[in-house]
């Protein structure tokens, strides 16, 4: 009797242990047969409206559920790669920064676009944005929005816009001598913006950071020229004292606050100026991105839609992604959220005229814009570049160049240690 | 924790023995899970640290022996992070010990409103570290912060290495001094009041009573508090993650490991760093236990 009780209790104890070990059952959603397409994208105010339109058009073929990623690019990437590395089937359509294509494609986390889907994604799409979605000759995403930086200036202070960085420094010195606002804002903080600046300067000087395949460091004399310009600019009258800490938003605020005479920045500054300082808007003009000897190569940004390898509804995901970036969706994103379209015809829409008076300048800049290096280790390469170039006033061109060469090579082989 | 002598074991009745067996059976699942959840990750981490394994290049995975350790241990970023961590640990734990002792005395000796005093002192410890860190971050950011507003125009203390580390230490001290005080107060409570009264009867001043009676008797409690806090401080992550995320060379070893592991997706290098952190933590623990002899926790007295 006693034994029996003990055995009973022992069995109960084991059972309890076993129950504790059982994984929590997780229910995966989806209502009555309509495939659920989980969209993960950076915060965008009116994306919900775009999603709603596509859900209506889908008419029950699929239903897109919008999931919003963190606000900062690193946070977005971290969440995506962490879940993709764990083969999470809960992600279907991914909103990617243009610099992530190679990394995710090489790791096998996003699907190649082929056949009809690829043809639709390519149709009418501008060449430069499309190129950001390609890795090793294959299409891995559908371009959603693009972006280029322009030179923004106050025509009351600067009658004719400078065309090169040297001219900017000269204009600033002249304004300073007259006691006028003379700062020319640029993203000089130790982050991606500094890499963007350097990349554009190297491209403007006729070079590139990596070779075309992204396998080796290129740099060379154009990079040396770019470093010289960065250092000269950071120590010139044009440099705001807070240049080593300036990101896009600080540049915009310095301009709106009247401290700066010009800035290089993305077109969102125009809508912001219209909203915050309407009386300054008539003198707030734009010009092509400055170059070194001649015309400059503007930085190229933007976002693309990719489909996760682990998606359980790939066909529906491709269709959803195509709808989310069709001309009507892109027009909404452009007009309501300030995201320049990747489909050329959208620029001709009458609704674009008022929010985008600079649309022709954007299209022009897109012809010569400088894409950032394509490599699966872009994150490492970028971290190393921004660390080596910060603060820009302390660049010692030949030494910095040697340092860049060494650290980027290590980063390319993923052998380097990140700070 | 007392092991029964063999003599008593022989005297166990059948019932007692089955009780004991049942006890072991009841413990077994927990013990097994403990081994699985703590032992296996450590072993797995060591195994990963011996491989070239970058998630972006799954095809290049290979065993590389100790070469990841050579890479990390010859890297300037790692050593910068190591020294930053060490500086933060030593300075913050020293300040916490002094302040914690003062607070413990205040809490212990408080005559009126003892409950209120103890509650107020513990408030910082009750606030989520990340939330508090954001509070500090905004307070020190020019334009949004009340602390930054007190500084001369144009200074951004979080963008300079030395001042950023000072702010990180300040946030750490503010946050964990109450914990230190709590541990010390617990140690204080065990010291018999009569000893202190006897000392003062013998003519000891208040300071002598503190330094020669209270402190020696509190030594085990102080060591526990110091050990806990040193290990915690060495693994500092959340305050730095929020305040600077390692920019301007303010990364700690944990932040650097995180950047390489999660940001860089480099499982080999990242795990090498994790193992090195584990070794450092183990060294700290051993130094405390061996260096401070029998009074140290776990020495069985």
């Amino acid at each position: 009797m006693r034994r029996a009780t003990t055995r009973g209790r022992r069995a109960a104890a084991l059972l309890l242990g076993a129950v504790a070990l059982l994984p929590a059952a997780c229910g995966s959603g989806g209502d009555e047969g309509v495939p659920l397409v989980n969209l993960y994208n950076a915060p965008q105010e009116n994306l919900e409206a775009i999603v709603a339109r596509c859900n209506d058009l889908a008419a029950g073929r699929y239903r897109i559920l919008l999931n919003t990623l963190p606000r900062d690019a690193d946070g977005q990437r971290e969440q995506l790669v962490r879940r993709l590395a764990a083969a999470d089937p809960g992600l279907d359509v991914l909103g990617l920064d243009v610099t992530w294509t190679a990394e995710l494609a090489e790791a096998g986390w996003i699907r190649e676009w082929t056949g009809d889907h690829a043809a639709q994604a390519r149709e009418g799409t501008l060449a430069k944005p499309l190129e950001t979605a390609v890795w090793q000759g294959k299409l891995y995403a559908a371009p959603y929005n693009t972006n280029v930086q322009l030179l923004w200036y106050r025509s009351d202070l600067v009658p004719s816009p400078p065309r090169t960085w040297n001219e900017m420094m000269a204009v600033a010195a002249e304004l300073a001598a007259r006691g006028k606002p003379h700062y020319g804002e640029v993203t000089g903080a130790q982050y991606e913006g500094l890499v963007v600046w350097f990349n554009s300067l190297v491209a403007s000087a006729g070079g590139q950071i990596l070779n075309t395949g992204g396998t080796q460091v290129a740099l060379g004399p154009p990079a040396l020229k770019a470093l010289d310009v960065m250092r000269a600019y950071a120590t010139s009258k044009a440099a705001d004292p807070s240049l080593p800490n300036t990101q896009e938003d600080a540049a915009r605020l310095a301009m709106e606050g009247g401290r700066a005479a010009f800035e290089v920045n993305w077109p969102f500054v125009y809508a912001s100026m219209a909203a915050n300082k309407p009386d300054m808007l008539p003198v707030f003009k734009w010009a092509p991105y400055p170059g070194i000897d001649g015309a400059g190569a503007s930085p190229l940004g933007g976002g693309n839609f990719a489909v996760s390898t682990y998606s359980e509804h790939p066909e529906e995901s491709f269709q959803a992604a195509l709808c989310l970036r069709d001309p009507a969706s892109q027009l909404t994103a452009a007009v309501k959220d300030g995201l320049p379209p990747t489909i050329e015809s959208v620029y001709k829409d009458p609704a674009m005229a008022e929010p985008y008076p600079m649309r022709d300048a954007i299209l022009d800049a897109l012809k010569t814009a400088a894409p950032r290096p394509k490599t699966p280790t872009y994150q490492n390469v970028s971290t190393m570049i921004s660390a080596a170039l910060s603060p820009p006033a302390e660049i010692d061109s030949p030494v910095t160049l040697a340092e860049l060469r060494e650290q980027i090579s290590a980063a390319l082989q993923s052998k380097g240690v990140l700070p | 924790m007392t092991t029964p002598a063999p003599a008593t074991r022989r005297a166990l009745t059948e019932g007692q023995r089955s009780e004991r067996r049942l006890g072991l059976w009841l413990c077994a699942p927990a013990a097994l899970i403990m081994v699985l959840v703590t032992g296996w990750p450590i072993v797995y981490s060591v195994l990963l640290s011996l491989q070239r394994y970058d998630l972006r290049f799954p095809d290049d995975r290979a065993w590389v022996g100790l070469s990841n350790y050579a890479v990390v241990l010859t890297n300037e970023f790692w050593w910068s992070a190591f020294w930053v961590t060490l500086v933060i640990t030593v300075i913050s734990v020293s300040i916490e010990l002094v302040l914690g002792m003062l607070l413990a005395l205040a809490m212990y000796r408080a005559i009126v409103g003892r409950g209120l005093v103890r509650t107020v002192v513990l408030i910082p410890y009750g606030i989520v570290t990340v939330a508090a860190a954001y509070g500090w971050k905004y307070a020190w950011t020019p334009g949004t912060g009340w602390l930054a507003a007190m500084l001369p125009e144009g200074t951004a203390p979080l963008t300079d290495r030395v001042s950023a580390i000072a702010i990180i230490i300040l946030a750490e001290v503010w946050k964990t001094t109450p914990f230190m005080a709590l541990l010390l107060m617990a140690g204080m409570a065990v010291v018999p009041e009569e000893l202190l009264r006897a000392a003062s009867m013998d003519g000891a001043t208040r300071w002598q009573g503190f330094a020669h009676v209270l402190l020696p008797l509190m030594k085990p409690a102080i060591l526990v508090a110091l050990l806990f806090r040193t290990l915690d401080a060495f693994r500092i992550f959340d305050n730095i993650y929020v305040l600077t995320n390692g920019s301007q060379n303010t990364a700690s070893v944990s932040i650097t490991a995180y950047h390489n592991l999660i940001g860089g997706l480099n499982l080999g290098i990242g795990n090498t760093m994790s193992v090195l952190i584990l070794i450092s933590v183990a060294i700290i623990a051993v130094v405390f236990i061996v260096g401070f002899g029998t009074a140290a926790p776990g020495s069985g007295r």
Side-chain angles (χ1 to χ4, degrees):
Chain A
M1 186 61 211
R2 172 94 208 170
R3 277 188 90 81
T5 336
T6 315
R7 198 176 297 146
R9 283 203 273 170
R10 185 187 299 164
L14 279 176
L15 190 68
L16 267 173
V19 168
L21 276 173
L22 279 176
C26 38
S28 57
D31 42 336
E32 301 90 44
V34 179
L36 187 67
V37 174
N38 271 296
L39 164 67
Y40 280 80
N41 202 74
Q44 183 197 326
E45 213 178 328
N46 293 288
L47 189 54
E48 193 67 68
I50 295 174
V51 166
R53 174 182 160 268
C54 287
N55 281 339
D56 284 348
L57 287 176
R61 275 179 296 132
Y62 56 79
R63 194 171 65 80
I64 305 170
L65 181 68
L66 173 62
N67 303 272
T68 303
L69 291 167
R71 194 157 285 281
D72 63 304
D74 280 346
Q76 293 160 17
R77 179 181 159 279
E78 257 165 39
Q79 183 172 144
L80 290 180
V81 297
R82 197 169 52 214
R83 295 180 63 176
L84 289 168
D88 188 338
L91 302 95
D92 297 296
V93 177
L94 317 171
L96 305 183
D97 187 274
V98 288
T99 57
W100 302 339
T101 313
E103 175 174 30
L104 271 61
E106 188 74 20
W109 290 335
I110 50 177
R111 291 170 189 257
E112 189 192 342
W113 288 59
T114 51
D116 212 26
H117 299 139
Q120 284 187 60
R122 283 200 167 94
E123 196 191 333
T125 304
L126 291 154
K128 289 274 178 173
L130 187 63
E131 192 52 35
T132 65
V134 173
W135 172 242
Q136 308 277 19
K138 294 175 182 166
L139 186 69
Y140 280 98
Y144 171 48
N145 62 72
T146 186
N147 228 338
V148 280
Q149 288 191 6
L150 298 173
L151 172 70
W152 304 86
Y153 65 100
R154 275 174 59 180
S155 57
D156 56 331
L157 296 170
V158 188
S160 65
R163 283 164 307 158
T164 65
W165 291 92
N166 278 329
E167 283 181 32
M168 281 167 76
M169 292 182 242
V171 170
E174 191 256 335
L175 284 170
R178 284 175 24 216
K180 300 275 187 190
H182 54 274
Y183 296 142
E185 301 294 330
V186 61
T187 52
Q190 186 183 333
Y191 80 119
E192 183 66 20
L194 186 57
V195 183
V196 160
W197 184 23
F198 176 63
N199 184 53
S200 275
L201 283 172
V202 175
S204 302
Q208 43 192 4
I209 294 177
L210 300 183
N211 67 355
T212 311
T215 49
Q216 264 165 13
V217 187
L219 295 173
L224 200 63
K225 222 181 220 178
L227 291 172
D228 286 340
V229 171
M230 284 177 97
R231 185 197 151 82
Y233 192 81
T235 51
S236 76
K237 286 275 186 242
D240 189 314
S242 63
L243 181 141
N245 198 29
T246 299
Q247 303 198 0
E248 284 97 339
D249 230 36
R252 169 184 71 85
L253 290 171
M255 197 76 189
E256 289 172 12
R259 261 153 58 85
F262 40 81
E263 64 176 323
V264 286
N265 216 330
W266 311 100
F268 80 102
V269 296
Y270 184 82
S272 171
M273 184 66 85
N276 298 342
K277 283 284 165 80
D279 45 328
M280 212 190 264
L281 196 63
V283 295
F284 189 59
K285 305 284 183 197
W286 57 91
Y289 192 84
I292 288 186
D293 297 319
S298 169
L300 180 67
N304 305 327
F305 286 132
V307 175
S308 163
T309 303
Y310 308 106
S311 167
E312 284 164 352
H313 311 289
E315 176 56 34
E316 289 80 5
S317 299
F318 280 115
Q319 288 176 17
L322 283 169
C323 175
L324 291 167
R325 52 88 58 192
D326 71 8
S329 295
Q330 291 204 12
L331 187 66
T332 307
V335 173
K336 296 207 168 140
D337 289 324
L339 299 171
T342 55
I343 298 175
E344 193 164 4
S345 62
V346 180
Y347 285 87
K348 298 193 179 72
D349 194 287
M352 287 288 284
E354 201 221 337
Y356 285 87
M358 78 304 279
R359 60 194 183 287
D360 289 333
I362 293 178
L363 282 172
D364 279 346
L366 275 174
K367 286 179 190 135
T368 56
R372 276 163 276 174
K374 276 192 194 181
T375 159
T377 56
Y378 182 75
Q379 187 76 9
N380 305 33
V381 171
S382 163
T383 307
M384 290 305 182
I385 294 176
S386 60
L389 298 183
S390 181
E394 281 168 31
I395 290 173
D396 177 353
S397 305
V399 178
T400 309
L401 186 62
E403 194 185 326
L404 276 173
R405 179 169 284 284
E406 186 194 331
Q407 295 194 344
I408 297 175
S409 316
L412 280 179
Q413 296 156 38
S414 79
K415 277 188 181 151
V417 173
L418 295 175
Chain B
M1 281 290 111
T2 47
T3 334
T8 34
R9 182 177 294 169
R10 214 174 299 127
L12 283 178
T13 64
E14 162 79 5
Q16 279 171 319
R17 222 174 301 152
S18 74
E19 282 288 327
R20 175 179 301 276
R21 254 200 317 267
L22 175 68
L24 289 176
W25 276 109
L26 280 168
C27 288
L32 185 73
I33 290 171
M34 286 281 276
V35 168
L36 284 177
V37 299
T38 63
W40 171 240
I42 294 176
V43 173
Y44 188 52
S45 187
V46 171
L47 290 178
L48 285 172
S49 77
L50 301 175
Q51 300 175 46
R52 168 170 154 72
Y53 188 10
D54 188 318
L55 284 178
R56 289 164 305 192
F57 303 99
D59 300 341
D60 293 348
R61 188 173 176 178
W63 291 94
V64 291
L66 292 173
S67 83
N68 283 336
Y69 289 87
V71 168
V72 172
L73 290 173
T74 53
N75 185 276
E76 51 172 324
F77 295 133
W78 168 259
W79 286 110
S80 155
F82 188 83
W83 292 118
V84 166
T85 311
L86 218 55
V87 165
I88 292 176
T89 305
V90 170
I91 298 183
S92 66
V93 173
S94 315
I95 299 175
E96 282 162 23
L97 179 63
V98 175
L99 288 181
M101 186 63 86
L102 291 174
L103 276 180
L105 284 168
M107 287 197 284
Y108 191 60
R109 301 264 178 249
I111 299 162
V112 280
R114 183 176 288 203
L116 185 72
V117 169
R118 290 183 186 181
T119 312
V120 168
V121 165
L122 280 174
I123 284 175
Y125 196 62
I127 296 176
V128 181
T129 314
V130 171
Y134 271 109
W136 286 111
K137 180 179 180 167
Y138 290 125
W140 287 110
T141 301
T144 60
W146 59 281
L147 284 167
M150 294 180 194
L151 298 169
E153 182 73 24
T155 40
L158 283 172
T159 61
D160 175 73
R161 187 184 195 188
V162 175
S163 55
I165 290 178
I167 289 172
I168 290 165
I169 292 176
L170 175 72
E172 271 293 287
V173 168
W174 177 82
K175 165 86 195 160
T176 45
T177 300
F179 176 68
M180 187 71 116
L182 202 66
L183 288 180
L184 292 176
M185 196 182 73
M188 228 170 249
V190 212
V191 177
E193 192 67 30
E194 300 82 55
L195 285 176
L196 287 169
R197 277 199 225 117
S200 72
M201 283 291 283
D202 290 340
T205 60
R206 274 180 152 251
W207 169 252
Q208 283 171 325
F210 173 74
H212 298 294
V213 181
L214 195 60
L215 271 192
L217 288 169
M218 278 177 68
K219 196 176 159 193
I222 294 175
L223 278 175
V224 172
L226 278 183
L227 178 63
F228 276 22
R229 276 303 307 142
T230 310
L231 294 183
D232 267 0
F234 193 82
R235 293 175 296 138
I236 180 170
F237 181 83
D238 25 20
N239 263 321
I240 301 183
Y241 181 76
V242 172
L243 284 166
T244 64
N245 197 17
S247 58
Q248 281 78 39
N249 296 317
T250 55
S252 68
V253 283
S254 301
I255 290 276
T256 306
Y258 176 81
H259 282 167
N260 281 277
L261 201 52
I262 306 294
L265 300 175
N266 197 332
L267 301 190
I269 295 282
N271 279 288
T272 302
M273 290 177 173
S274 305
V275 171
L276 289 172
I277 295 172
L278 180 70
I279 292 172
S280 309
V281 165
I283 290 174
I284 293 175
V286 168
V287 164
F288 266 93
I289 289 166
V290 173
F292 293 98
T294 51
S299 56
R301 247 224 332 206

